[in-house]
Amino acid sequence: MSDCVFCKIIEGIIPSSKVYENDDIVVFKDINPVAPIHVLVVPKVHIESLEALNEQNIDIVRKIHLAILQTTKLLGINEEGYRVITNCGKNGGQTVPHLHYHIIGGTKFSEKII
Ligand code: AMP
Ligand code: ZN
């Protein structure tokens, strides 16, 4: 996807502040953080959103969750807790059409989702 901002970050064309990376996943700081800790967990393969997951590509979700566990340990928020969000489509508020999971933490959130 030549015009995808996250593909460009993955290719190194756009700089990012990486906190974790493996063969399949990159995790970098959100440019516009909404919490003391706000990172994005992004698969290197271009999948548009959760709605584009299927039997063939669903293994990436396992890898995303394992990367989340690595990241929360690295950032030292694994014990106190955090929130994971994926926005999907127009009504879900998705602005970058490349599957990604927000990890937000470093503070206590309301028990209500929004
Ligand atoms: P969403 O609205 O769920 O699609 O999330 C997209 C997120 O990507 C937003 O929180 C943006 O602040 C973030 N974002 C957009 N461009 C960049 C960038 N170049 N580097 C880091 N984060 C970005
Ligand atoms: Zn992409």
Side-chain angles (χ1 to χ4, degrees):
M1 268 267 166
S2 53
D3 60 347
C4 170
V5 61
F6 288 175
C7 281
K8 284 181 182 159
I9 286 175
I10 290 157
E11 288 163 22
I13 298 166
I14 294 178
S16 69
S17 188
K18 280 184 200 161
V19 299
Y20 175 78
E21 182 171 15
N22 64 30
D23 286 349
D24 304 296
I25 308 287
V26 62
V27 182
F28 51 86
K29 290 185 184 170
D30 196 295
I31 205 168
N32 199 3
V34 299
I37 290 174
H38 186 174
V39 297
L40 303 171
V41 183
V42 183
K44 290 185 177 176
V45 60
H46 182 90
I47 296 170
E48 215 163 282
S49 75
L50 188 148
E51 276 292 310
L53 291 169
N54 55 45
E55 289 289 347
Q56 279 66 52
N57 63 19
I58 194 72
D59 191 48
I60 200 68
V61 173
R62 180 180 165 275
K63 291 171 175 169
I64 288 168
H65 276 250
L66 289 170
I68 289 170
L69 293 174
Q70 292 289 331
T71 302
T72 56
K73 236 179 252 120
L74 273 171
L75 297 176
I77 57 171
N78 54 315
E79 287 182 4
E80 62 196 3
Y82 49 88
R83 185 169 284 174
V84 174
I85 301 160
T86 187
N87 295 326
C88 183
K90 183 164 61 76
N91 279 6
Q94 185 177 5
T95 59
V96 177
H98 180 132
L99 180 68
H100 56 281
Y101 289 65
H102 300 251
I103 303 174
I104 54 175
T107 188
K108 174 140 174 43
F109 299 112
S110 153
E111 286 162 16
K112 294 186 178 171
I113 294 173
I114 55 171

